[in-house]
Amino acid sequence: MRRSFYERPALFFGVVFFGFIALSFVVAVGPAIEIQAKHKPLPGSQPMTPQELRGFDVYIAEGCPYCHTQQVRPLKMDAVWGRPSVASDYARLEPLHWWMETPGVLGSERTGPDLTNIGKRQPSEIWQLIHLYDPRAVVSWSIMPSFHSLFEVTSSPAADATVVPVPPDFAPSHGKVVAKQRALDLVAYLLSRKQAPLPEGVGGEAAAAPAAPAAEAGGGGAQDEGAMLYSANCASCHQAGGTGLTSTFPPLKDDPVVNDDDPTEHISTVLHGAHGRTINGVQYPVAMPAFKDMLSDAQIVAIVNHERSSWGNSGKPVTEEMVAKVRKEGAPQ
Amino acid sequence: MRRPLTVAKAPIDEVIDADHQLTRLVFAFITASAVWLVFGTLVGLYLSLKFRWPEIDHVPWLTFGRLRPIHTNTVFWGFASNGMIGLAYYVVARTSRQRLHSYKLGWISLALIQISVVAGDICLAAGINNGAQEYREYIWPVMALFAGALVLTCYNFYWTISNRTTKEIYISNWYIMGALLWTISLATIAYLPFYQYGFAETAIQGYYMHQGVGMWFTPMVLGLTYYFLPKLLNKPIYSYSLGVLAFWTQMVFYTMIGAHHFLYSPLPWWLQTVAILFSIGMLVTVVAGTANFLLTMKGSGHAVRNTYAVPFLLVGVVYYFVGSAQGSFEALRSLNMIWHFNNYTIGHSHITMYGFVTFLIWGGVYGLLPRLSGREARQLFIGMHFWLAFIGVLIYGVSLSIGGTLQGLSWLAGKPFEDSVTLMAPYWLWRAIGGTLMFGSHLLFAYNVWCMLPSKSRDEAVETYTEVPSAS
Ligand code: HEM
Ligand code: HEM
């Protein structure tokens, strides 16, 4: 009596096994081999320094990718995070230890902001350190965990130690907060997260194909571009209500520069940053970063005008010509 | 007597005279499974509190990024895998009408799995992971132990099935053997590093993440249900051909759709499109499977009312349909755009892994254990387990589906990122409430399993009984 296909275990399970492996080569292993061979790092990108690599290791060990993506989709709603990611952006990734595989940084959940461009968006090392020590010290609504274990509290920091100026409400009652090496490494990694420019024609398939859906798909645009840009670029320090944080970041509400009818210094501060001023009698330990490479003239107009017309401020509105003029004059001496 | 939460159910009708060694092995797996469920979901519950109170602790190994993989890997490899494999040992031997090929290998598999989960969790707590890639966070030396357990189990099942005394290979065994063979290949492919440098890692990750749930948990519990449902209803499965159709489409369609986890990523556009098409195609598989189960149940309303195992199976089958249909929609570009990256996906994960997989495992456990040991758990507690878990996961799924959709719409409207975090507060609170009910039900489940364990005296009685024939 002949046994049917379904009664012959070796044959039946053989088909089940090898069929799956064959399909796996079509949809996973094959494409993976091809991607690995085809996509080289972008010419404008840099390999990570040893310190950044150590920081990357902390990033993976602490599971930051469970809340943070590093993947910008070619959609209008993702444009705030940067240009669409291309395969070459990830080409330099490789395992960090013998027991590890190539880490995954694209992520599947955006509980916190995308970090593809965090080095551009938030280049202040001190801000990053305060934020890691206690995110709620700088972002009141944050639900990100505090990473106290990356810091130590000591009453007599060494001369070369990085003392973190944690705002008083969040600082420990005694002693100073000092960043451990792991914290400095992690911040070095974060600050290195900047998208390299795409050379003409690179990006290829991945960037080109979705262009059409990107154009039609979603993204109603901000109702108020100025407010949106302010919240994305400035609010982390100056806070949503323009209130600043006591003795760490100055308030922009009722600020003399913001309410000055001559907008030159206001514009110049945003373009070139600032450090060491005495504002309303207070000196701030942190520097204000420069935004000239990050924001276009039109975006600066939107932000500056937002600041000049919010929270009771009444500075005169500025125009794109004014910004262009200040930009041309270069940084003040 | 009227009971507040449950109706009185009929006591079990028969005690199976299964061989004693098999009984012990099955109970060992199920006990381990229950312990891991309690531990894994205690961690899950704690995580859900952290969304409300991020400052709840400052202990490095309790930080969110380390606990989250402990939650997912414990419930995957500890709870669900132990539970499914334990039930499968019984089903394979029973439907083959054959003694298990080797008990020793069964016990070794059991030990390997527990060692890998303990070692894996300790590594994760220490910040040692495989690169923060979901569900393959255990480093390879640890995962190799787990894979070893699967290879031994697979070998054991294969020879049991090969030596069967029945003519056919019952359909449950197709699914169970399929799941083992697929998962062994999957783990191997996912852990070999050579083709995973740079962005290539993502091509494998999408495939792995999807096959992990689609080629391991799904076929395993479906296979078990093909046994337990007809058995508990005391009638044959509605249609064998529907089962055949569902099996082959499962293997072909499901394998193709991993890239839907990375829609709009730089993965080749054709790969994403293939994934979407087959995600829609999966409706065929899911409708065939669900219809087959529901039509088998048709006319057996009394069984739902009168037994405590069948309601669990019913809920599992319905969630199989709901969760999978939801998944097919999530795979459409226009909807994925909104639902990707936010809590909607977390809702889907629990609707499927909990509503579907977990409920079916429970159905099998409550259906089988009392019949093996002759000891029943208290009906009141089983009833409470059912309702707490059922209401809990309903709250979990509904709140995150609504919250996640609102998150997506807020991004689409170009609102500040802050809104998508603050708007979630009430939904995260509801998730924690649902999670508390679920966790409470798991404590009851563990207690119930304890009540169903074979009694010592019976144990010894059976022991002497089984030894007699082997001596003759
Ligand atoms: C008391 C019951 C449970 C609670 C409170 C709970 C809670 C959680 C929380 C808070 C997360 C993290 C979500 C995030 O990162 O946004 C999570 C993730 C997850 N849980 Fe649970 N969980 C429970 C039970 C389970 C069970 C029994 C399973 C599986 C059998 C499971 C599977 C998962 C999976 C797969 C993820 C990852 C989801 C994704 O990345 O899409 N959970 N859970
Ligand atoms: C027809 C069947 C199904 C389809 C088409 C489907 C589709 C999807 C899609 C598109 C995602 C990605 C969502 C996103 O990140 O945007 C997803 C995630 C997920 N699905 Fe399904 N699904 C199906 C059935 C299932 C089943 C049966 C299970 C569980 C056994 C399951 C478990 C999961 C889990 C755990 C995730 C989260 C993965 C992660 O990001 O960590 N799905 N599914």
Side-chain angles (χ1 to χ4, degrees):
Chain A
M1 187 188 75
R2 278 195 57 74
R3 292 184 301 162
S4 81
F5 171 65
Y6 289 107
E7 290 161 17
R8 302 169 66 178
L11 178 64
F12 177 44
F13 294 130
V15 169
V16 166
F17 182 60
F18 289 107
F20 176 74
I21 293 190
L23 291 174
S24 299
F25 269 82
V26 176
V27 294
V29 180
I33 292 174
E34 196 196 330
I35 290 170
Q36 185 166 316
K38 193 163 112 191
H39 297 286
K40 300 288 171 231
L42 293 175
S45 74
Q46 294 295 321
M48 282 190 226
T49 64
Q51 181 180 27
E52 287 159 11
L53 273 175
R54 288 199 307 271
F56 184 35
D57 203 8
V58 179
Y59 187 80
I60 296 300
E62 295 300 339
C64 311
Y66 298 117
C67 287
H68 291 288
T69 54
Q70 289 190 31
Q71 175 192 179
V72 183
R73 297 174 295 175
L75 295 171
K76 203 169 165 196
M77 65 196 274
D78 269 24
V80 283
W81 309 118
R83 62 153 169 81
S85 303
V86 295
S88 301
D89 288 332
Y90 307 93
R92 291 185 196 277
L93 292 178
E94 57 184 28
L96 298 165
H97 304 280
W98 62 265
W99 38 261
M100 185 189 265
E101 281 180 276
T102 306
V105 295
L106 278 84
S108 67
E109 221 189 327
R110 224 173 243 166
T111 305
D114 183 272
L115 296 182
T116 306
N117 259 328
I118 185 65
K120 262 189 202 160
R121 187 162 70 244
Q122 189 48 275
S124 162
E125 182 187 26
I126 293 291
W127 185 91
Q128 294 287 1
L129 288 169
I130 302 177
H131 183 254
L132 281 175
Y133 179 77
D134 189 337
R136 277 150 297 283
V138 278
V139 184
S140 59
W141 49 269
S142 183
I143 57 151
M144 170 160 150
S146 327
F147 290 90
H148 285 193
S149 58
L150 300 176
F151 300 83
E152 57 196 350
V153 177
T154 155
S155 47
S156 50
D160 60 345
T162 310
V163 176
V164 184
V166 181
D169 289 351
F170 296 86
S173 48
H174 304 289
K176 297 213 152 60
V177 176
V178 172
K180 289 189 195 161
Q181 191 58 42
R182 277 162 59 82
L184 299 173
D185 294 345
L186 178 56
V187 169
Y189 168 71
L190 290 174
L191 297 190
S192 74
R193 300 295 83 215
K194 297 175 194 164
Q195 284 181 318
L198 283 187
E200 279 310 310
V202 173
E205 208 186 343
E216 332 152 355
Q223 322 95 318
D224 180 348
E225 210 200 344
M228 175 72 189
L229 286 166
Y230 175 84
S231 111
N233 295 286
C234 323
S236 54
C237 294
H238 295 293
Q239 303 296 304
T243 54
L245 283 173
T246 322
S247 67
T248 314
F249 305 113
L252 297 180
K253 181 178 173 6
D254 302 330
D255 177 83
V257 169
V258 174
N259 288 290
D260 191 344
D261 277 349
D262 174 5
T264 313
E265 190 170 3
H266 191 177
I267 296 171
S268 165
T269 309
V270 180
L271 283 170
H272 306 295
H275 189 39
R277 292 181 195 166
T278 305
I279 303 166
N280 288 329
V282 186
Q283 273 218 332
Y284 292 90
V286 191
M288 149 102 184
F291 286 87
K292 65 176 188 311
D293 300 331
M294 270 174 267
L295 299 172
S296 68
D297 289 355
Q299 289 173 316
I300 292 184
V301 169
I303 295 186
V304 166
N305 284 342
H306 173 73
E307 289 174 350
R308 293 185 152 243
S309 58
S310 305
W311 323 303
N313 289 343
S314 53
K316 274 206 196 130
V318 303
T319 61
E320 252 182 87
E321 289 75 52
M322 295 180 187
V323 178
K325 187 165 154 275
V326 180
R327 195 189 277 273
K328 241 171 94 195
E329 285 164 5
Q333 296 313 310
Chain B
M1 191 187 82
R2 285 196 68 83
R3 291 201 167 82
L5 281 168
T6 62
V7 290
K9 309 266 177 172
I12 49 161
D13 42 8
E14 48 156 0
V15 175
I16 309 166
D17 211 2
D19 85 67
H20 163 65
Q21 299 193 53
L22 185 62
T23 305
R24 281 217 313 211
L25 185 61
V26 172
F27 269 96
F29 270 107
I30 303 299
T31 310
S33 165
V35 170
W36 286 123
L37 176 65
V38 170
F39 172 69
T41 54
L42 180 63
V43 174
L45 183 58
Y46 191 59
L47 286 173
S48 71
L49 299 182
K50 289 200 162 209
F51 284 83
R52 191 80 187 167
W53 296 285
E55 293 292 346
I56 203 165
D57 71 70
H58 291 286
V59 184
W61 47 271
L62 289 181
T63 185
F64 183 90
R66 296 198 197 174
L67 277 188
R68 189 189 195 271
I70 294 184
H71 166 61
T72 53
N73 287 281
T74 306
V75 292
F76 271 29
W77 318 127
F79 156 64
S81 300
N82 271 311
M84 298 183 316
I85 294 177
L87 295 173
Y89 268 96
Y90 176 81
V91 169
V92 169
R94 188 72 183 176
T95 55
S96 303
R97 302 228 177 274
Q98 180 55 269
R99 275 173 64 94
L100 186 66
H101 177 68
S102 158
Y103 293 104
K104 195 162 155 219
L105 289 183
W107 286 101
I108 297 177
S109 308
L110 176 86
L112 284 177
I113 295 179
Q114 316 320 317
I115 295 171
S116 69
V117 179
V118 171
D121 282 359
I122 292 178
C123 287
L124 291 177
I128 297 172
N129 65 47
N130 188 37
Q133 319 177 64
E134 271 178 291
Y135 320 137
R136 47 174 176 158
E137 283 106 340
Y138 285 177
I139 56 176
W140 66 259
V142 169
M143 208 53 183
L145 300 176
F146 188 86
L150 295 190
V151 172
L152 293 183
T153 302
C154 187
Y155 173 86
N156 214 345
F157 286 180
Y158 179 81
W159 286 112
T160 310
I161 293 170
S162 242
N163 298 330
R164 71 194 181 284
T165 58
T166 57
K167 184 167 178 299
E168 284 172 42
I169 303 176
Y170 185 61
I171 189 160
S172 291
N173 298 327
W174 305 7
Y175 277 96
I176 293 171
M177 279 298 290
L180 285 162
L181 291 168
W182 295 330
T183 309
I184 292 164
S185 343
L186 171 67
T188 313
I189 292 176
Y191 273 84
L192 288 179
F194 318 114
Y195 38 77
Q196 301 200 41
Y197 286 80
F199 186 64
E201 174 271 334
T202 303
I204 301 293
Q205 175 59 15
Y207 159 83
Y208 173 80
M209 225 197 297
H210 195 81
Q211 312 314 331
V213 297
M215 303 314 261
W216 176 231
F217 301 107
T218 303
M220 266 305 238
V221 289
L222 290 179
L224 295 171
T225 306
Y226 270 106
Y227 173 77
F228 284 112
L229 191 64
K231 185 78 197 164
L232 291 170
L233 298 180
N234 206 5
K235 61 180 180 193
I237 193 81
Y238 174 77
S239 154
Y240 219 78
S241 340
L242 273 180
V244 176
L245 171 73
F247 179 81
W248 290 113
T249 51
Q250 165 94 16
M251 168 171 147
V252 176
F253 293 6
Y254 229 133
T255 312
M256 310 301 280
I257 63 187
H260 70 202
H261 291 267
F262 289 101
L263 295 184
Y264 290 114
S265 80
L267 280 183
W269 201 245
W270 68 264
L271 194 61
Q272 301 184 27
T273 306
V274 166
I276 296 169
L277 292 176
F278 281 100
S279 298
I280 309 300
M282 273 304 291
L283 285 171
V284 175
T285 313
V286 172
V287 168
T290 315
N292 208 2
F293 291 137
L294 290 182
L295 289 170
T296 307
M297 278 189 232
K298 199 171 156 224
S300 297
H302 61 277
V304 177
R305 280 190 305 278
N306 290 334
T307 72
Y308 36 71
V310 177
F312 282 97
L313 295 181
L314 177 62
V315 169
V317 168
V318 171
Y319 266 106
Y320 173 49
F321 179 75
V322 172
S324 300
Q326 178 195 30
S328 295
F329 284 105
E330 261 184 287
L332 298 174
R333 282 199 178 96
S334 51
L335 291 170
N336 185 272
M337 184 170 86
I338 297 170
W339 284 332
H340 190 44
F341 286 150
N342 60 46
N343 279 265
Y344 190 87
T345 305
I346 309 295
H348 170 69
S349 304
H350 289 82
I351 285 173
T352 50
M353 280 304 299
Y354 199 97
F356 161 49
V357 173
T358 303
F359 268 79
L360 289 184
I361 294 176
W362 285 333
V365 169
Y366 284 130
L368 179 63
L369 262 51
R371 287 177 175 76
L372 277 182
S373 70
R375 285 161 60 100
E376 293 190 69
R378 271 201 249 164
Q379 292 195 2
L380 174 68
F381 287 171
I382 302 181
M384 280 169 64
H385 169 191
F386 177 84
W387 286 109
L388 286 177
F390 180 71
I391 296 171
V393 70
L394 201 63
I395 296 179
Y396 196 126
V398 170
S399 62
L400 289 196
S401 299
I402 299 175
T405 307
L406 294 177
Q407 280 186 300
L409 290 176
S410 118
W411 292 338
L412 189 67
K415 301 249 180 68
F417 186 83
E418 172 183 354
D419 291 16
S420 69
V421 178
T422 47
L423 76 81
M424 278 304 292
Y427 303 101
W428 278 330
L429 182 63
W430 277 108
R431 186 249 305 266
I433 294 171
T436 309
L437 300 184
M438 287 148 77
F439 179 70
S441 84
H442 303 163
L443 293 176
L444 286 165
F445 172 65
Y447 178 72
N448 291 340
V449 168
W450 192 67
C451 292
M452 292 185 288
L453 290 180
S455 71
K456 196 80 189 158
S457 53
R458 184 184 138 78
D459 224 54
E460 278 152 9
V462 180
E463 197 139 20
T464 42
Y465 168 78
T466 44
E467 262 160 20
V468 177
S470 62
S472 64

